[in-house]
Amino acid sequence: MNFSIVFMAIYVMALVIGKVIKRSFPKIGDAIVLTLIFSIAFWGGSQIGSGETLANVLIGSIVMAFLVVLTTLGVGLAFNKETTVKGQSNLVLTQLKYGIPLVVGLAFGFFVRPSLPFGTIINYELYALALIIGFNMGSEIKLRAIFNVTKEALVTIIVVILGALACAGLSYELGLLPNLKLAIVMFMGAGWYSYTGPIVSTYYGPVYGVVAFLINFFREQITFLIVPLLVKVRPNPYSAIAIGGATSMDTTLGLYSSIFSGEYSLSAMISGALLTLVIPIILPLTISI
């Protein structure tokens, strides 16, 4: 059965149950998020090779990942919207909490290079996340707020798309990528590295496939590191959620749940789910044009 369907079914079921029992499990949710960061970084580290060429690919991917994050941030700030965020007593500790499993996972993956079914492992971790986050959000969300959520989610999607297009144009003009269409496909992946990497590899070769994978992989990881800082400076939900892109449906959902109220946590879920539905349509269409 399709992963997205199962994930959303578990999430909706848990959301309803959480609304009824009115209990949340924030510590369990946090533990699952940290485990996910380590697992994904472990997988990513095992895919990074050695040598000057791959070192250049790695550095270039990191630069372009930061570029799409900052571009998306700028587009989101154009939509003048702010909201309250949950208390963050220590920003440095928050960033360390998410940064340590990222660095450790990348190091272990790079040096150990295990042969593990990472896709299956991460899927089950995401199912657990859907269950716990559903409970947590269901216990606090107000039903009347749901009517406003879809509108908020659509604005976030617009920010994601405009940010990707702007970053693609900028990357092409700066000579970071040789082809504008290729750049659009890479950045329109919106953090979905497991899909964007393979489809780019199919049409543009393995080197650009690795670049596409890493750009979107690092975008996801940068989200964990930079969003807590951004919302502390300016709590704009459109920018914060758009940076996560498609990952706001699953991997980074726990982060948004820990920062925003139930309304914007649900908005993150819906915007990520809609992006997950349209990205497999947008990318092949872009390539074929």
Side-chain angles (χ1 to χ4, degrees), residues 66-285:
F66 271 104
L67 187 62
V68 71
V69 165
L70 294 176
T71 305
T72 303
L73 168 64
V75 172
L77 291 178
F79 293 82
N80 189 21
K81 177 77 172 182
E82 292 191 7
T83 187
T84 57
V85 297
K86 297 179 181 178
Q88 298 177 64
S89 57
N90 193 315
L91 177 62
V92 174
L93 288 179
T94 300
Q95 291 180 309
L96 283 175
K97 181 175 71 174
Y98 293 122
I100 288 174
L102 167 63
V103 174
V104 172
L106 283 171
F108 267 79
F110 182 81
F111 290 109
V112 177
R113 300 190 180 280
S115 178
L116 296 173
F118 284 107
T120 301
I121 292 170
I122 291 171
N123 280 353
Y124 281 108
E125 290 174 356
L126 288 170
Y127 292 149
L129 179 68
L131 185 66
I132 297 300
I133 296 301
F135 282 145
N136 294 347
M137 291 170 56
S139 67
E140 65 176 66
I141 194 167
K142 295 178 176 62
L143 292 177
R144 63 184 180 183
I146 296 177
F147 294 102
N148 298 322
V149 164
T150 302
K151 176 185 174 183
E152 303 288 348
L154 290 175
V155 174
T156 301
I157 291 172
I158 291 172
V159 173
V160 172
I161 293 173
L162 292 178
L165 292 174
C167 188
L170 184 59
S171 298
Y172 176 66
E173 290 297 325
L174 292 174
L176 297 175
L177 290 169
N179 185 298
L180 181 59
K181 185 187 295 187
L182 169 62
I184 292 173
V185 173
M186 283 187 174
F187 295 117
M188 201 67 77
W192 192 355
Y193 51 83
S194 61
Y195 176 75
T196 309
I199 194 170
V200 169
S201 179
T202 299
Y203 288 92
Y204 292 98
V207 173
Y208 287 119
V210 171
V211 172
F213 177 93
L214 290 175
I215 287 173
N216 287 279
F217 170 75
F218 285 122
R219 174 177 180 164
E220 177 187 67
Q221 304 308 310
I222 292 169
T223 298
F224 285 107
L225 298 177
I226 201 171
V227 165
L229 173 62
L230 293 178
V231 298
K232 201 171 184 69
V233 175
R234 186 172 177 183
N236 183 307
Y238 297 143
S239 287
I241 296 172
I243 286 172
T247 72
S248 66
M249 184 196 83
D250 41 51
T251 316
T252 59
L253 180 60
L255 172 67
Y256 294 121
S257 178
S258 69
I259 292 175
F260 295 118
S261 65
E263 178 181 354
Y264 284 105
S265 296
L266 186 57
S267 177
M269 167 70 180
I270 292 175
S271 65
L274 291 176
L275 283 168
T276 302
L277 289 174
V278 301
I279 285 172
I281 299 173
I282 292 176
L283 298 196
L285 282 176

